[in-house]
PDB file of all heavy atoms in Angstrom:
ATOM      1  N   SER A 132     -25.263 -95.694   8.414  1.00 97.00           N
ATOM      2  CA  SER A 132     -26.625 -95.446   7.973  1.00 97.00           C
ATOM      3  C   SER A 132     -27.252 -96.753   7.502  1.00 97.00           C
ATOM      4  O   SER A 132     -26.646 -97.819   7.585  1.00 97.00           O
ATOM      5  CB  SER A 132     -26.655 -94.394   6.860  1.00 97.00           C
ATOM      6  OG  SER A 132     -27.966 -93.895   6.704  1.00 97.00           O
ATOM      7  N   SER A 133     -28.486 -96.654   7.001  1.00 98.00           N
ATOM      8  CA  SER A 133     -29.200 -97.872   6.623  1.00 98.00           C
ATOM      9  C   SER A 133     -30.284 -97.574   5.594  1.00 98.00           C
ATOM     10  O   SER A 133     -30.627 -96.416   5.325  1.00 98.00           O
ATOM     11  CB  SER A 133     -29.844 -98.524   7.848  1.00 98.00           C
ATOM     12  OG  SER A 133     -30.964 -97.769   8.288  1.00 98.00           O
ATOM     13  N   HIS A 134     -30.834 -98.640   5.044  1.00 98.00           N
ATOM     14  CA  HIS A 134     -31.953 -98.540   4.102  1.00 98.00           C
ATOM     15  C   HIS A 134     -33.154 -97.803   4.681  1.00 98.00           C
ATOM     16  O   HIS A 134     -33.924 -97.190   3.942  1.00 98.00           O
ATOM     17  CB  HIS A 134     -32.425 -99.946   3.733  1.00 98.00           C
ATOM     18  CG  HIS A 134     -31.662-100.575   2.611  1.00 98.00           C
ATOM     19  ND1 HIS A 134     -31.886-101.863   2.210  1.00 98.00           N
ATOM     20  CD2 HIS A 134     -30.691-100.097   1.792  1.00 98.00           C
ATOM     21  CE1 HIS A 134     -31.088-102.170   1.199  1.00 98.00           C
ATOM     22  NE2 HIS A 134     -30.345-101.109   0.934  1.00 98.00           N
ATOM     23  N   TYR A 135     -33.347 -97.913   5.976  1.00 98.00           N
ATOM     24  CA  TYR A 135     -34.556 -97.361   6.575  1.00 98.00           C
ATOM     25  C   TYR A 135     -34.661 -95.851   6.409  1.00 98.00           C
ATOM     26  O   TYR A 135     -35.744 -95.280   6.605  1.00 98.00           O
ATOM     27  CB  TYR A 135     -34.623 -97.733   8.059  1.00 98.00           C
ATOM     28  CG  TYR A 135     -34.893 -99.202   8.272  1.00 98.00           C
ATOM     29  CD1 TYR A 135     -33.846-100.099   8.456  1.00 98.00           C
ATOM     30  CD2 TYR A 135     -36.185 -99.702   8.255  1.00 98.00           C
ATOM     31  CE1 TYR A 135     -34.091-101.458   8.631  1.00 98.00           C
ATOM     32  CE2 TYR A 135     -36.442-101.052   8.428  1.00 98.00           C
ATOM     33  CZ  TYR A 135     -35.385-101.929   8.608  1.00 98.00           C
ATOM     34  OH  TYR A 135     -35.628-103.268   8.777  1.00 98.00           O
ATOM     35  N   ARG A 136     -33.579 -95.193   6.023  1.00 98.00           N
ATOM     36  CA  ARG A 136     -33.608 -93.740   5.856  1.00 98.00           C
ATOM     37  C   ARG A 136     -33.847 -93.310   4.412  1.00 98.00           C
ATOM     38  O   ARG A 136     -33.942 -92.115   4.137  1.00 98.00           O
ATOM     39  CB  ARG A 136     -32.294 -93.138   6.376  1.00 98.00           C
ATOM     40  CG  ARG A 136     -32.117 -93.379   7.865  1.00 98.00           C
ATOM     41  CD  ARG A 136     -31.144 -92.455   8.519  1.00 98.00           C
ATOM     42  NE  ARG A 136     -31.318 -92.492   9.976  1.00 98.00           N
ATOM     43  CZ  ARG A 136     -30.693 -91.695  10.823  1.00 98.00           C
ATOM     44  NH1 ARG A 136     -29.842 -90.797  10.373  1.00 98.00           N
ATOM     45  NH2 ARG A 136     -30.913 -91.786  12.124  1.00 98.00           N
ATOM     46  N   ILE A 137     -33.977 -94.280   3.514  1.00 98.00           N
ATOM     47  CA  ILE A 137     -34.139 -93.916   2.098  1.00 98.00           C
ATOM     48  C   ILE A 137     -35.550 -93.440   1.804  1.00 98.00           C
ATOM     49  O   ILE A 137     -35.750 -92.402   1.147  1.00 98.00           O
ATOM     50  CB  ILE A 137     -33.761 -95.109   1.202  1.00 98.00           C
ATOM     51  CG1 ILE A 137     -32.266 -95.398   1.313  1.00 98.00           C
ATOM     52  CG2 ILE A 137     -34.150 -94.839  -0.252  1.00 98.00           C
ATOM     53  CD1 ILE A 137     -31.805 -96.611   0.528  1.00 98.00           C
ATOM     54  N   PHE A 138     -36.573 -94.143   2.270  1.00 98.00           N
ATOM     55  CA  PHE A 138     -37.962 -93.774   1.973  1.00 98.00           C
ATOM     56  C   PHE A 138     -38.281 -92.359   2.459  1.00 98.00           C
ATOM     57  O   PHE A 138     -38.828 -91.544   1.688  1.00 98.00           O
ATOM     58  CB  PHE A 138     -38.899 -94.808   2.606  1.00 98.00           C
ATOM     59  CG  PHE A 138     -40.310 -94.779   2.085  1.00 98.00           C
ATOM     60  CD1 PHE A 138     -40.682 -95.553   0.998  1.00 98.00           C
ATOM     61  CD2 PHE A 138     -41.275 -93.986   2.691  1.00 98.00           C
ATOM     62  CE1 PHE A 138     -41.984 -95.539   0.528  1.00 98.00           C
ATOM     63  CE2 PHE A 138     -42.579 -93.957   2.233  1.00 98.00           C
ATOM     64  CZ  PHE A 138     -42.942 -94.740   1.136  1.00 98.00           C
ATOM     65  N   PRO A 139     -37.969 -92.000   3.717  1.00 98.00           N
ATOM     66  CA  PRO A 139     -38.219 -90.614   4.145  1.00 98.00           C
ATOM     67  C   PRO A 139     -37.458 -89.587   3.301  1.00 98.00           C
ATOM     68  O   PRO A 139     -37.972 -88.486   3.035  1.00 98.00           O
ATOM     69  CB  PRO A 139     -37.733 -90.594   5.601  1.00 98.00           C
ATOM     70  CG  PRO A 139     -37.751 -92.010   6.044  1.00 98.00           C
ATOM     71  CD  PRO A 139     -37.446 -92.819   4.829  1.00 98.00           C
ATOM     72  N   THR A 140     -36.263 -89.945   2.858  1.00 97.00           N
ATOM     73  CA  THR A 140     -35.477 -89.031   2.021  1.00 97.00           C
ATOM     74  C   THR A 140     -36.179 -88.768   0.705  1.00 97.00           C
ATOM     75  O   THR A 140     -36.256 -87.623   0.228  1.00 97.00           O
ATOM     76  CB  THR A 140     -34.083 -89.633   1.766  1.00 97.00           C
ATOM     77  OG1 THR A 140     -33.417 -89.815   3.021  1.00 97.00           O
ATOM     78  CG2 THR A 140     -33.241 -88.724   0.873  1.00 97.00           C
ATOM     79  N   LEU A 141     -36.720 -89.817   0.094  1.00 97.00           N
ATOM     80  CA  LEU A 141     -37.408 -89.666  -1.193  1.00 97.00           C
ATOM     81  C   LEU A 141     -38.676 -88.832  -1.042  1.00 97.00           C
ATOM     82  O   LEU A 141     -38.971 -87.969  -1.883  1.00 97.00           O
ATOM     83  CB  LEU A 141     -37.744 -91.042  -1.767  1.00 97.00           C
ATOM     84  CG  LEU A 141     -36.551 -91.943  -2.096  1.00 97.00           C
ATOM     85  CD1 LEU A 141     -37.030 -93.314  -2.560  1.00 97.00           C
ATOM     86  CD2 LEU A 141     -35.656 -91.310  -3.156  1.00 97.00           C
ATOM     87  N   LEU A 142     -39.450 -89.072   0.032  1.00 97.00           N
ATOM     88  CA  LEU A 142     -40.685 -88.291   0.224  1.00 97.00           C
ATOM     89  C   LEU A 142     -40.373 -86.813   0.437  1.00 97.00           C
ATOM     90  O   LEU A 142     -41.060 -85.942  -0.106  1.00 97.00           O
ATOM     91  CB  LEU A 142     -41.462 -88.837   1.422  1.00 97.00           C
ATOM     92  CG  LEU A 142     -42.041 -90.247   1.315  1.00 97.00           C
ATOM     93  CD1 LEU A 142     -43.064 -90.486   2.430  1.00 97.00           C
ATOM     94  CD2 LEU A 142     -42.693 -90.494  -0.033  1.00 97.00           C
ATOM     95  N   ALA A 143     -39.338 -86.520   1.219  1.00 95.00           N
ATOM     96  CA  ALA A 143     -38.962 -85.122   1.430  1.00 95.00           C
ATOM     97  C   ALA A 143     -38.525 -84.478   0.119  1.00 95.00           C
ATOM     98  O   ALA A 143     -38.847 -83.306  -0.152  1.00 95.00           O
ATOM     99  CB  ALA A 143     -37.850 -85.031   2.470  1.00 95.00           C
ATOM    100  N   ALA A 144     -37.823 -85.232  -0.721  1.00 95.00           N
ATOM    101  CA  ALA A 144     -37.392 -84.695  -2.017  1.00 95.00           C
ATOM    102  C   ALA A 144     -38.580 -84.414  -2.927  1.00 95.00           C
ATOM    103  O   ALA A 144     -38.520 -83.523  -3.784  1.00 95.00           O
ATOM    104  CB  ALA A 144     -36.424 -85.670  -2.680  1.00 95.00           C
ATOM    105  N   MET A 145     -39.667 -85.161  -2.750  1.00 95.00           N
ATOM    106  CA  MET A 145     -40.869 -84.945  -3.564  1.00 95.00           C
ATOM    107  C   MET A 145     -41.670 -83.730  -3.110  1.00 95.00           C
ATOM    108  O   MET A 145     -42.615 -83.314  -3.790  1.00 95.00           O
ATOM    109  CB  MET A 145     -41.776 -86.182  -3.498  1.00 95.00           C
ATOM    110  CG  MET A 145     -41.209 -87.401  -4.193  1.00 95.00           C
ATOM    111  SD  MET A 145     -42.271 -88.852  -3.908  1.00 95.00           S
ATOM    112  CE  MET A 145     -41.238 -90.141  -4.627  1.00 95.00           C
ATOM    113  N   GLY A 146     -41.312 -83.163  -1.962  1.00 94.00           N
ATOM    114  CA  GLY A 146     -41.997 -81.975  -1.484  1.00 94.00           C
ATOM    115  C   GLY A 146     -42.878 -82.198  -0.273  1.00 94.00           C
ATOM    116  O   GLY A 146     -43.527 -81.256   0.198  1.00 94.00           O
ATOM    117  N   TYR A 147     -42.929 -83.422   0.253  1.00 96.00           N
ATOM    118  CA  TYR A 147     -43.723 -83.668   1.452  1.00 96.00           C
ATOM    119  C   TYR A 147     -43.032 -83.054   2.665  1.00 96.00           C
ATOM    120  O   TYR A 147     -41.798 -83.000   2.746  1.00 96.00           O
ATOM    121  CB  TYR A 147     -43.924 -85.171   1.654  1.00 96.00           C
ATOM    122  CG  TYR A 147     -44.847 -85.790   0.622  1.00 96.00           C
ATOM    123  CD1 TYR A 147     -44.331 -86.412  -0.517  1.00 96.00           C
ATOM    124  CD2 TYR A 147     -46.224 -85.735   0.773  1.00 96.00           C
ATOM    125  CE1 TYR A 147     -45.169 -86.973  -1.475  1.00 96.00           C
ATOM    126  CE2 TYR A 147     -47.077 -86.283  -0.179  1.00 96.00           C
ATOM    127  CZ  TYR A 147     -46.543 -86.902  -1.299  1.00 96.00           C
ATOM    128  OH  TYR A 147     -47.376 -87.442  -2.243  1.00 96.00           O
ATOM    129  N   ASP A 148     -43.846 -82.592   3.614  1.00 95.00           N
ATOM    130  CA  ASP A 148     -43.333 -81.918   4.800  1.00 95.00           C
ATOM    131  C   ASP A 148     -42.392 -82.859   5.563  1.00 95.00           C
ATOM    132  O   ASP A 148     -42.819 -83.932   6.026  1.00 95.00           O
ATOM    133  CB  ASP A 148     -44.503 -81.520   5.697  1.00 95.00           C
ATOM    134  CG  ASP A 148     -44.056 -80.817   6.973  1.00 95.00           C
ATOM    135  OD1 ASP A 148     -42.850 -80.493   7.089  1.00 95.00           O
ATOM    136  OD2 ASP A 148     -44.905 -80.610   7.857  1.00 95.00           O
ATOM    137  N   PRO A 149     -41.126 -82.496   5.731  1.00 94.00           N
ATOM    138  CA  PRO A 149     -40.175 -83.383   6.422  1.00 94.00           C
ATOM    139  C   PRO A 149     -40.617 -83.771   7.826  1.00 94.00           C
ATOM    140  O   PRO A 149     -40.378 -84.886   8.263  1.00 94.00           O
ATOM    141  CB  PRO A 149     -38.886 -82.561   6.446  1.00 94.00           C
ATOM    142  CG  PRO A 149     -39.004 -81.628   5.291  1.00 94.00           C
ATOM    143  CD  PRO A 149     -40.470 -81.290   5.190  1.00 94.00           C
ATOM    144  N   ARG A 150     -41.294 -82.863   8.529  1.00 95.00           N
ATOM    145  CA  ARG A 150     -41.736 -83.184   9.889  1.00 95.00           C
ATOM    146  C   ARG A 150     -42.828 -84.252   9.870  1.00 95.00           C
ATOM    147  O   ARG A 150     -42.815 -85.181  10.683  1.00 95.00           O
ATOM    148  CB  ARG A 150     -42.221 -81.930  10.606  1.00 95.00           C
ATOM    149  CG  ARG A 150     -41.100 -80.971  10.978  1.00 95.00           C
ATOM    150  CD  ARG A 150     -41.644 -79.672  11.500  1.00 95.00           C
ATOM    151  NE  ARG A 150     -42.455 -78.976  10.480  1.00 95.00           N
ATOM    152  CZ  ARG A 150     -43.061 -77.819  10.644  1.00 95.00           C
ATOM    153  NH1 ARG A 150     -42.961 -77.200  11.822  1.00 95.00           N
ATOM    154  NH2 ARG A 150     -43.758 -77.253   9.676  1.00 95.00           N
ATOM    155  N   ALA A 151     -43.772 -84.127   8.938  1.00 96.00           N
ATOM    156  CA  ALA A 151     -44.830 -85.134   8.834  1.00 96.00           C
ATOM    157  C   ALA A 151     -44.259 -86.474   8.374  1.00 96.00           C
ATOM    158  O   ALA A 151     -44.676 -87.536   8.841  1.00 96.00           O
ATOM    159  CB  ALA A 151     -45.903 -84.658   7.858  1.00 96.00           C
ATOM    160  N   VAL A 152     -43.296 -86.424   7.471  1.00 97.00           N
ATOM    161  CA  VAL A 152     -42.648 -87.657   6.996  1.00 97.00           C
ATOM    162  C   VAL A 152     -41.895 -88.324   8.132  1.00 97.00           C
ATOM    163  O   VAL A 152     -41.980 -89.547   8.332  1.00 97.00           O
ATOM    164  CB  VAL A 152     -41.691 -87.336   5.819  1.00 97.00           C
ATOM    165  CG1 VAL A 152     -40.835 -88.553   5.490  1.00 97.00           C
ATOM    166  CG2 VAL A 152     -42.479 -86.891   4.603  1.00 97.00           C
ATOM    167  N   ARG A 153     -41.164 -87.525   8.901  1.00 96.00           N
ATOM    168  CA  ARG A 153     -40.376 -88.073  10.000  1.00 96.00           C
ATOM    169  C   ARG A 153     -41.280 -88.710  11.056  1.00 96.00           C
ATOM    170  O   ARG A 153     -40.945 -89.764  11.613  1.00 96.00           O
ATOM    171  CB  ARG A 153     -39.524 -86.964  10.614  1.00 96.00           C
ATOM    172  CG  ARG A 153     -38.560 -87.444  11.687  1.00 96.00           C
ATOM    173  CD  ARG A 153     -37.489 -86.411  11.971  1.00 96.00           C
ATOM    174  NE  ARG A 153     -38.026 -85.097  12.289  1.00 96.00           N
ATOM    175  CZ  ARG A 153     -37.949 -84.016  11.488  1.00 96.00           C
ATOM    176  NH1 ARG A 153     -37.327 -84.101  10.324  1.00 96.00           N
ATOM    177  NH2 ARG A 153     -38.456 -82.861  11.856  1.00 96.00           N
ATOM    178  N   ALA A 154     -42.426 -88.106  11.324  1.00 96.00           N
ATOM    179  CA  ALA A 154     -43.340 -88.655  12.321  1.00 96.00           C
ATOM    180  C   ALA A 154     -43.885 -90.015  11.891  1.00 96.00           C
ATOM    181  O   ALA A 154     -44.172 -90.873  12.734  1.00 96.00           O
ATOM    182  CB  ALA A 154     -44.497 -87.676  12.559  1.00 96.00           C
ATOM    183  N   ARG A 155     -44.009 -90.225  10.594  1.00 96.00           N
ATOM    184  CA  ARG A 155     -44.605 -91.468  10.096  1.00 96.00           C
ATOM    185  C   ARG A 155     -43.564 -92.504   9.710  1.00 96.00           C
ATOM    186  O   ARG A 155     -43.776 -93.708   9.908  1.00 96.00           O
ATOM    187  CB  ARG A 155     -45.509 -91.146   8.905  1.00 96.00           C
ATOM    188  CG  ARG A 155     -46.346 -92.298   8.423  1.00 96.00           C
ATOM    189  CD  ARG A 155     -47.452 -91.834   7.495  1.00 96.00           C
ATOM    190  NE  ARG A 155     -48.416 -90.964   8.173  1.00 96.00           N
ATOM    191  CZ  ARG A 155     -49.555 -90.549   7.630  1.00 96.00           C
ATOM    192  NH1 ARG A 155     -49.864 -90.917   6.397  1.00 96.00           N
ATOM    193  NH2 ARG A 155     -50.371 -89.766   8.304  1.00 96.00           N
ATOM    194  N   TYR A 156     -42.431 -92.058   9.155  1.00 97.00           N
ATOM    195  CA  TYR A 156     -41.475 -93.002   8.582  1.00 97.00           C
ATOM    196  C   TYR A 156     -40.070 -92.901   9.167  1.00 97.00           C
ATOM    197  O   TYR A 156     -39.197 -93.675   8.760  1.00 97.00           O
ATOM    198  CB  TYR A 156     -41.398 -92.797   7.065  1.00 97.00           C
ATOM    199  CG  TYR A 156     -42.677 -93.152   6.346  1.00 97.00           C
ATOM    200  CD1 TYR A 156     -43.522 -92.163   5.850  1.00 97.00           C
ATOM    201  CD2 TYR A 156     -43.040 -94.482   6.162  1.00 97.00           C
ATOM    202  CE1 TYR A 156     -44.695 -92.478   5.186  1.00 97.00           C
ATOM    203  CE2 TYR A 156     -44.210 -94.818   5.490  1.00 97.00           C
ATOM    204  CZ  TYR A 156     -45.037 -93.806   5.008  1.00 97.00           C
ATOM    205  OH  TYR A 156     -46.197 -94.147   4.347  1.00 97.00           O
ATOM    206  N   GLY A 157     -39.831 -91.992  10.065  1.00 96.00           N
ATOM    207  CA  GLY A 157     -38.517 -91.907  10.675  1.00 96.00           C
ATOM    208  C   GLY A 157     -37.602 -90.915   9.984  1.00 96.00           C
ATOM    209  O   GLY A 157     -38.008 -90.125   9.128  1.00 96.00           O
ATOM    210  N   GLU A 158     -36.334 -90.975  10.373  1.00 97.00           N
ATOM    211  CA  GLU A 158     -35.343 -89.998   9.919  1.00 97.00           C
ATOM    212  C   GLU A 158     -34.900 -90.262   8.481  1.00 97.00           C
ATOM    213  O   GLU A 158     -34.891 -91.405   8.006  1.00 97.00           O
ATOM    214  CB  GLU A 158     -34.113 -90.047  10.823  1.00 97.00           C
ATOM    215  CG  GLU A 158     -34.392 -89.805  12.299  1.00 97.00           C
ATOM    216  CD  GLU A 158     -34.720 -88.350  12.600  1.00 97.00           C
ATOM    217  OE1 GLU A 158     -34.431 -87.496  11.739  1.00 97.00           O
ATOM    218  OE2 GLU A 158     -35.253 -88.073  13.690  1.00 97.00           O
ATOM    219  N   GLY A 159     -34.513 -89.158   7.806  1.00 97.00           N
ATOM    220  CA  GLY A 159     -33.951 -89.256   6.462  1.00 97.00           C
ATOM    221  C   GLY A 159     -32.435 -89.334   6.508  1.00 97.00           C
ATOM    222  O   GLY A 159     -31.811 -89.265   7.569  1.00 97.00           O
ATOM    223  N   LEU A 160     -31.844 -89.438   5.329  1.00 97.00           N
ATOM    224  CA  LEU A 160     -30.386 -89.559   5.242  1.00 97.00           C
ATOM    225  C   LEU A 160     -29.660 -88.291   5.668  1.00 97.00           C
ATOM    226  O   LEU A 160     -28.462 -88.328   5.966  1.00 97.00           O
ATOM    227  CB  LEU A 160     -29.980 -89.926   3.809  1.00 97.00           C
ATOM    228  CG  LEU A 160     -30.296 -91.362   3.381  1.00 97.00           C
ATOM    229  CD1 LEU A 160     -30.081 -91.530   1.882  1.00 97.00           C
ATOM    230  CD2 LEU A 160     -29.442 -92.361   4.152  1.00 97.00           C
TER     231      LEU A 160
END
C-alpha cells in the first residue's frame, strides 16, 4: 500500500460518499 490511499480513507471516515471520493482522489486503504 501507499500514502496515496490515506486521504480517501479519511474523507470516507468523515462521512463523504466513498464513490465520489474514489472518483476524485482514488482508492482508500
Side-chain angles (χ1 to χ4, degrees):
S132 196
S133 72
H134 275 175
Y135 290 94
R136 297 200 164 187
I137 293 177
F138 196 90
T140 300
L141 297 176
L142 294 194
M145 291 174 188
Y147 290 96
D148 180 8
R150 289 172 298 180
V152 170
R153 185 164 53 251
R155 189 166 296 188
Y156 294 106
E158 303 287 344
L160 288 170

